[in-house]
């Protein structure tokens, strides 16, 4: 079969289960694509040809022997290179850790291995999951498959590019302030930041321990739901892990939103008229109409200004990151790239009182959000600030120049939040909207996300770099 | 409102306190960005009662936990 890359996770899984295609065929197909496209897209820092092919043969043998494990069996995936795989370097995109070999698998990898999924490669990451597109580092920044002159967003930049280029049907990213969701928005993917505690952080390099979580990045919402089923679950070795059973999220996508009550959070973007592009606001309004037309009860919800959520998230992020990097900043500063230096340094200029004030504000804003969500099932919020910018124009200090993020509030509150594609702008670049749920209610998020995807985003439109390979 | 800028002398004190050694370009870049950092921390200061609960709750280890582990539980919980 020559077009496996167009199938996505769900259909590939069905064909593997029915033995119409073999995991060996699937993995060979994606390895060929990854090796062919990586020189242009820079989505991988290493591609594991041998181990992936060996894993595929094991999966094929198991399936032929009647030991089919489920929808992830034989499915290849990419892993952000801050997540440990035993025996491989976890470079964190940094000279500091370029040759540090992980001794054990992360919890994420343990879970995916148990499902029979196959790791195809380590995806490029911005330095320690915060640095920007830094051309001074050993690994060149990933390029956006929709336009190779444009930024993927970060910090799960390689993960986003790898899925958008269809070199893999699933990538695992991490999200501390939007690092799954921004690349998903810029690359036209479904990207889920689940509730804090849903996915174990064990074996993932810390950036800001109270904010970050791993999350799946996929071409479709349903692919994403299946991936989360594989990733989620309690881990007694992660102190933040929640002992709450995963739900059958893939069932949610067929349920629609009829009768659901969905709150539109307009004040986040209306109070920041220069912060979000007109086309992003238009995408938000289109999604609201789609949900209403599908039978949801739409209401207005006003939260505190976005700046309040953003400030608390940033101060906590900077403070926790500074504590993690303190020793290296004092002794090995020359090994960091300029983006990471400028983005970690603010944490060293905060006071203890600043961090405690941010934590107090966090508690207040969590209570505000929880109160608002007693009356609604979901919130609809703008996603990224605009379509993907040009990669060359991004400066190291750009994270500090007052630019806001509508993703950060939901790291602060720990809520599940998902980026859903809403189509392409006139330049052919993806646009998106964000759906936010109550804590541990990813199920409702997937219900609404599927409705939006079906109405607004043809999943047939692919980046030319991904489609072009097929014609060669 | 945050100040428009911070003097080189004042900023040098902050960098010294943090124990960092920056080159001139790093020093100036961060000095210019400092106004944005202060803008973030100023927003956090909202009026609160003196009776407002602290941000973190310290839980003393339970007696049974002491028996299981000689080390104190230093975890904090939010909310």
């Amino acid at each position: 079969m020559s077009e496996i890359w167009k199938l996505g996770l769900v259909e590939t899984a069905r064909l593997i289960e029915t033995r119409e295609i073999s995991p060996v065929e699937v993995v060979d197909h994606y390895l060929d694509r990854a090796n062919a496209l990586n020189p242009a897209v820079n989505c991988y820092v290493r591609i594991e040809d041998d181990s992936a092919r060996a894993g595929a043969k094991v999966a094929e043998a198991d399936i032929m022997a009647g030991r089919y494990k489920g929808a992830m069996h034989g499915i290849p995936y990419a892993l952000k290179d801050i997540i440990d795989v035993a025996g491989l370097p976890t470079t964190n995109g940094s000279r500091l850790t370029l040759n540090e070999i992980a001794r054990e698998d992360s919890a994420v990898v343990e879970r995916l291995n148990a499902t029979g999924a196959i790791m195809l490669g380590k995806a490029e990451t911005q330095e320690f999951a915060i640095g920007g597109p830094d051309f001074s580092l050993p690994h060149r920044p990933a390029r956006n498959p929709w336009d190779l002159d444009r930024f993927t967003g970060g910090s799960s930049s390689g993960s986003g590019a790898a899925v958008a280029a269809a070199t893999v049907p699933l990538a695992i990213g991490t999200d501390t302030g939007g690092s799954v969701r921004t690349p998903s928005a810029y690359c036209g993917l479904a990207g889920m930041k689940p509730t804090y505690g849903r996915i174990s952080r064990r074996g993932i390099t810390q950036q800001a321990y109270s904010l970050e979580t791993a999350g799946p990045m996929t071409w479709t919402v349903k692919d994403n739901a299946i991936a989360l089923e594989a990733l989620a679950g309690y881990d007694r070795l992660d102190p933040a892990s929640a002992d709450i059973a995963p739900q059958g999220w893939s069932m949610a996508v067929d349920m629609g939103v009829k009768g659901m009550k969905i709150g539109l959070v307009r004040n986040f973007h209306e109070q920041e008229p220069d912060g979000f592009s007109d086309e992003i606001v238009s995408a938000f309004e289109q999604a609201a109409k789609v949900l209403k037309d599908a039978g949801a009860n739409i209401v207005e919800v006003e939260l505190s200004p976005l700046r309040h959520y953003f400030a608390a998230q940033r101060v906590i992020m900077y403070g926790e990151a500074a504590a993690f990097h303190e020793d290296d900043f004092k002794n090995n500063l020359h090994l960091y790239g300029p983006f990471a230096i400028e983005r970690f340094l603010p944490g060293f200029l905060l006071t203890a009182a600043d961090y405690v004030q941010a934590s107090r504000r966090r508690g207040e804003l969590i209570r505000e959000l929880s109160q608002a969500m007693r009356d609604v099932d979901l919130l609809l919020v703008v996603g990224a600030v605009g379509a993907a910018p040009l990669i060359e124009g991004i400066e190291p200090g750009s994270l500090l120049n007052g630019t806001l993020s509508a993703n950060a509030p939901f790291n602060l509150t720990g809520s599940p939040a998902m980026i859903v594609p809403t189509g392409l702008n006139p330049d052919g670049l993806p646009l998106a909207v964000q759906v936010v749920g109550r804590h541990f209610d990813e199920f409702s998020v997937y219900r609404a996300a599927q409705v939006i995807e079906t109405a607004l985003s043809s999943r047939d439109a692919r980046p030319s770099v991904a489609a072009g390979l097929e014609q060669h | 409102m945050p100040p428009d800028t911070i003097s080189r002398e004042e900023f040098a004190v902050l960098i010294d306190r943090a124990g960092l050694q920056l080159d001139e370009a790093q020093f100036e870049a961060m000095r210019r960005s400092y106004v944005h950092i202060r803008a973030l921390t100023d927003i956090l200061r909202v009026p609160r009662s003196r009776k407002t609960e602290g941000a973190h709750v310290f839980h003393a280890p339970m007696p049974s936990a002491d028996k299981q582990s000689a080390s104190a539980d230093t975890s904090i919980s939010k909310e």
Side-chain angles (χ1 to χ4, degrees):
Chain A
M1 185 176 290
S2 64
E3 295 191 334
I4 290 173
W5 64 276
K6 288 184 178 175
L7 298 176
L9 196 161
V10 171
E11 182 62 8
T12 303
R14 187 187 70 77
L15 295 175
I16 288 175
E17 183 180 13
T18 57
R19 303 184 190 180
E20 292 171 70
I21 55 175
S22 154
V24 172
E25 192 180 349
V26 171
V27 166
D28 280 344
H29 179 82
Y30 278 113
L31 279 173
D32 287 347
R33 291 185 61 81
N35 283 302
L37 288 171
N38 200 44
V41 183
N42 296 334
C43 43
Y44 293 95
V45 298
R46 60 186 302 135
I47 298 172
E48 292 295 316
D49 295 75
D50 293 344
S51 68
R53 287 199 168 95
K57 285 179 182 170
V58 171
E60 181 185 68
D62 281 345
I63 291 165
M64 294 308 289
R67 296 189 293 271
Y68 179 66
K69 295 179 178 177
M72 294 297 293
H73 203 168
I75 298 293
Y77 67 93
L79 196 67
K80 184 177 182 178
D81 197 21
I82 66 165
I83 305 175
D84 285 350
V85 178
L88 295 183
T90 303
T91 73
N92 303 297
S94 178
R95 293 185 194 90
L96 272 162
T97 50
L98 205 55
N99 299 307
E100 284 195 3
I101 308 295
R103 286 184 290 184
E104 297 179 349
D105 283 337
S106 57
V108 161
V109 169
E110 283 178 3
R111 285 196 165 273
L112 289 169
N113 284 346
T115 66
I118 296 163
M119 209 275 288
L120 204 76
K122 300 293 288 287
E124 185 267 351
T125 175
Q126 292 169 6
E127 188 169 16
F128 284 108
I130 196 170
D134 192 333
F135 288 87
S136 73
L137 294 174
H139 301 139
R140 293 290 180 267
R143 300 275 181 168
N144 193 318
W146 292 93
D147 178 346
L148 295 176
D149 290 331
R150 292 188 181 266
F151 186 32
T152 55
S155 61
S156 306
S157 36
S159 300
V163 177
T167 67
V168 77
L170 162 68
I172 312 303
T174 62
D175 193 315
T176 305
S179 289
V180 161
R181 287 165 290 160
T182 303
S184 295
Y186 285 173
C187 294
L189 309 179
M192 169 63 92
K193 183 205 83 66
T195 310
Y196 182 78
R198 264 288 186 212
I199 298 176
S200 173
R201 303 164 307 159
R202 177 166 54 87
I204 300 175
T205 305
Q206 288 183 22
Q207 196 223 100
Y209 67 90
S210 78
L211 299 166
E212 69 197 34
T213 176
M217 302 163 74
T218 55
W219 189 247
T220 70
V221 170
K222 188 166 187 179
D223 288 357
N224 200 283
I226 286 172
L228 185 61
E229 289 172 9
L231 292 164
Y234 176 62
D235 178 10
R236 65 180 178 81
L237 298 177
D238 175 1
S241 183
D243 192 3
I244 295 178
Q247 295 173 278
W249 292 298
S250 55
M251 307 287 285
V253 299
D254 299 322
M255 293 181 65
V257 292
K258 191 170 184 180
M260 292 183 86
K261 196 170 179 182
I262 299 176
L264 307 184
V265 183
R266 283 201 171 91
N267 73 292
F268 272 12
H269 57 268
E270 288 181 347
Q271 292 166 342
E272 303 290 345
D274 298 329
F276 297 89
S277 72
D278 290 345
E279 57 194 10
I280 285 294
V281 175
S282 176
F284 170 90
E285 295 297 342
Q286 282 182 299
K289 183 175 185 308
V290 163
L291 294 170
K292 184 179 181 182
D293 291 348
N297 179 14
I298 302 295
V299 299
E300 302 286 332
V301 169
E302 181 165 354
L303 300 173
S304 290
L306 174 57
R307 283 179 186 274
H308 289 225
Y309 283 87
F310 181 77
Q313 186 273 343
R314 279 294 189 264
V315 170
I316 290 169
M317 180 181 80
Y318 290 142
E320 293 179 1
F324 184 84
H325 287 276
E326 185 174 29
D327 185 56
D328 282 321
F329 254 61
K330 289 180 177 175
N331 299 305
N332 298 306
L333 189 63
H334 62 288
L335 293 177
Y336 288 88
F339 280 81
I341 289 174
E342 290 217 17
R343 293 176 179 192
F344 281 133
L345 260 172
F348 294 90
L349 303 175
L350 300 171
T351 66
D354 290 333
Y355 184 84
V356 173
Q357 294 285 15
S359 297
R360 281 177 129 179
R361 197 72 186 111
R362 182 182 205 176
E364 292 161 357
L365 293 171
I366 288 172
R367 281 191 287 279
E368 174 186 82
L369 188 75
S370 298
Q371 180 72 36
M373 296 203 73
R374 282 180 193 162
D375 298 327
V376 296
D377 299 297
L378 293 169
L379 297 175
L380 192 70
V381 183
V382 287
V385 297
L390 293 169
I391 195 168
E392 298 288 356
I394 298 169
E395 297 292 331
S398 56
L399 206 64
L400 286 174
N401 66 5
T403 301
L404 289 169
S405 158
N407 296 322
F410 308 107
N411 299 90
L412 185 76
T413 63
S415 311
M418 185 171 199
I419 282 291
V420 189
T422 57
L424 305 177
N425 74 3
D427 295 326
L429 298 173
L431 301 171
V433 71
Q434 185 173 204
V435 180
V436 179
R438 295 172 178 147
H439 293 104
F440 298 103
D441 187 16
E442 287 84 358
F443 196 90
S444 294
V445 175
Y446 281 122
R447 287 178 64 182
Q450 181 64 59
V451 169
I452 295 168
E453 178 186 278
T454 301
L456 296 180
S457 178
S458 164
R459 297 286 74 195
D460 294 333
R462 297 278 189 163
S464 57
V465 70
L469 190 64
E470 191 67 16
Q471 295 159 10
H472 293 165
Chain B
M1 290 292 290
D4 291 336
T5 186
I6 181 171
S7 72
R8 286 183 60 87
E9 293 74 18
E10 289 171 315
F11 193 65
V13 171
L14 297 180
I15 295 300
D16 282 348
R17 190 191 66 179
L20 303 180
Q21 292 186 314
L22 305 183
D23 64 28
E24 178 61 20
Q26 291 163 346
F27 184 94
E28 267 308 304
M30 282 315 300
R31 191 174 76 89
R32 285 195 301 273
S33 295
Y34 187 69
V35 62
H36 299 298
I37 299 167
R38 285 272 64 96
L40 293 177
T41 56
D42 286 352
I43 288 175
L44 302 172
R45 269 77 177 180
V46 298
R48 292 187 181 94
S49 158
R50 293 184 189 281
K51 302 295 184 188
T52 300
E53 181 61 70
H56 302 109
V57 179
F58 172 75
H59 296 284
M62 299 298 286
S64 59
D66 282 340
K67 290 177 185 172
Q68 291 170 9
S69 171
S71 61
D73 177 5
T74 56
S75 65
I76 55 175
S77 61
K78 294 185 172 60
E79 268 297 88

